[in-house]
Amino acid sequence: MYEKLRQDPIKLRWLFIGSLIINTGISFIWPLTTIYMHEYLHETLTVAGIVLLFNSGFTMIGNYLGGWLFDHWWPYLTILGGIAIATISTGLLIFWHGWPTYAILLVTLGLGNGIVATGINSIATLVKSRQPSYVFNVLYFTSNLGLVFGSLIVGYILPLGIQYIFTIAFVLFVLFFVMALITFRQLDQSKQAAKQHAAVVSDRLERTREKLPIILLLLTLFVSWVAYEQWQSNISAYMIHLGMDVKLYSHLWTVNAVLIVVLQPLLTHFDDFLLKHLRGRLYTGFFLFCTSFLILLFAKQFAWFVLAMSVLTIGEIIAFPAVSTFVNERASFAEKGRYQGLVALSASAGRAVGPLIGALIIESFTYPILFIFSAVLIAVFTVVFMTSGIKRQTNRRQS
């Protein structure tokens, strides 16, 4: 048993490759939803928004379900089941991508992707050869790299026909399923061995005690994603309102991608230092997020938008991977999958409601009010999260 305990459940390269494949496949599909439904299926933007909302909702269900199954069922079958749902949904889309079949299959695809996303992060909690923080950092890098690959390629393939988009995504999902089928087989044994060991050496097996800091951090992550979604939805309209074209907006995401690809490995190199200052890393990242929206208050030329996006991206790569690490350190062994599911669920929830909240604020007030609202929201929740750390330090000194 202890020999299995000392071993990683899978070789890390397979976990990272799997993350890269699944995120590349996902990025072939979700960015096209609004365009495809409006331009090809001739549905209204409202209908497209509703479909995206249901997709996000079922992704959240998948996030939580994947974590629960990872803890209480078989991790191996859980992640294979999630990949299978995504693969079957995408395969059917090749042949049936009209209305309303497209919408239904997009929702089931969200369920499968939610299970897989949580499953991958939950596997990271079982790794012994590296610090979990290192694994979460690299997973964040591979997920973003996959999104960059998919987003770059999809524009060249779409003119050939939407079925080619679904075919490539389907092939990628099949490749991941076969790879996971072969290389993830030791997951159940590793989980069981670690569970037996934890039962012997720890009384924190079944119950997570430090729940308040986790809850406060997840709320901070949620509001950060609500704000982040403004960049993917409403800020493009703001730039056009200022007389800039769509190409300039797309260049901002090139800046985002380049910074992530260049800086994320650099942060991974300093993983030991960042792990010792985990709370400071989180505070820094979220306050940079806040600062990026304050910069937007002064943005009238493209250079200001580049500056704001750069600050946002640096804050993103500092804070977001650290959330999983913080939660993993405080979750009991029996609930690690559940809490990694809650991390993914918090991000999915922010992505789901962010565009709607932003649109309501813009319609009722102005874009500057939206930027102030985003900055204040992140700052307030970050400060509240900080108080949990101050309170803990005070209790330690008193004891």
Side-chain angles (χ1 to χ4, degrees), residues 84-275:
I85 293 171
T87 304
I88 293 170
S89 300
T90 309
L92 293 174
L93 279 171
I94 298 173
F95 306 100
W96 295 284
H97 42 263
W99 180 260
T101 311
Y102 174 80
I104 295 170
L105 291 175
L106 199 69
V107 168
T108 60
L109 177 62
L111 177 67
N113 287 338
I115 294 173
V116 175
T118 298
I120 287 175
N121 267 22
S122 297
I123 291 171
T125 67
L126 297 175
V127 171
K128 302 302 177 187
S129 64
R130 290 278 194 169
Q131 292 281 6
S133 56
Y134 169 87
V135 183
F136 289 130
N137 283 337
V138 179
L139 284 176
Y140 195 79
F141 171 75
T142 54
S143 65
N144 279 283
L145 191 61
L147 294 177
V148 170
F149 285 160
S151 301
L152 287 175
I153 297 171
V154 72
Y156 296 98
I157 298 176
L158 182 59
L160 302 177
I162 192 72
Q163 64 271 21
Y164 291 101
I165 297 289
F166 299 136
T167 300
I168 294 175
F170 174 72
V171 171
L172 288 171
F173 290 154
V174 168
L175 179 63
F176 185 29
F177 183 86
V178 173
M179 189 192 79
L181 187 68
I182 297 171
T183 63
F184 287 21
R185 286 178 297 178
Q186 298 301 315
L187 272 179
D188 294 340
Q189 294 91 322
S190 296
K191 175 78 173 179
Q192 190 61 31
K195 185 175 182 179
Q196 292 173 12
H197 179 68
V200 174
V201 302
S202 176
D203 65 349
R204 299 183 68 253
L205 172 65
E206 297 297 339
R207 195 160 54 91
T208 299
R209 294 178 179 175
E210 292 188 58
K211 289 185 179 180
L212 181 60
I214 293 176
I215 293 170
L216 294 176
L217 178 58
L218 293 181
L219 287 173
T220 307
L221 178 66
F222 166 73
V223 299
S224 296
W225 269 108
V226 169
Y228 198 155
E229 280 303 300
Q230 307 316 312
W231 282 92
Q232 304 206 41
S233 54
N234 298 308
I235 288 178
S236 59
Y238 182 58
M239 292 178 67
I240 292 172
H241 173 73
L242 293 175
M244 303 177 203
D245 58 26
V246 177
K247 284 185 179 179
L248 288 178
Y249 173 71
S250 66
H251 290 165
L252 287 178
W253 291 106
T254 303
V255 172
N256 175 270
V258 170
L259 285 174
I260 289 174
V261 170
V262 172
L263 296 181
Q264 189 69 51
L266 185 63
L267 260 67
T268 303
H269 181 72
F270 294 99
D271 181 63
D272 290 339
F273 172 82
L274 293 171
L275 185 59

Side-chain angles (χ1 to χ4, degrees), residues 33-39 42-53:
T33 300
T34 301
I35 296 173
Y36 179 68
M37 290 189 64
H38 188 57
E39 300 295 334
H42 307 294
E43 299 293 333
T44 66
L45 290 174
T46 301
V47 171
I50 292 171
V51 171
L52 282 172
L53 186 62

Side-chain angles (χ1 to χ4, degrees), residues 293-360:
F293 286 94
L294 296 178
I295 294 172
L296 285 176
L297 290 171
F298 306 96
K300 302 299 179 186
Q301 292 84 31
F302 181 63
W304 283 92
F305 285 94
V306 172
L307 176 62
M309 172 58 86
S310 300
V311 172
L312 179 90
T313 305
I314 294 171
E316 171 189 355
I317 63 177
I318 290 174
F320 282 0
V323 173
S324 293
T325 301
F326 184 92
V327 171
N328 177 62
E329 285 188 347
R330 283 151 184 82
S332 69
F333 181 83
E335 295 184 314
K336 285 189 181 294
R338 177 192 174 209
Y339 277 95
Q340 289 303 319
L342 290 175
V343 172
L345 188 152
S346 300
S348 297
R351 285 192 290 264
V353 302
L356 176 60
I357 291 174
L360 290 173

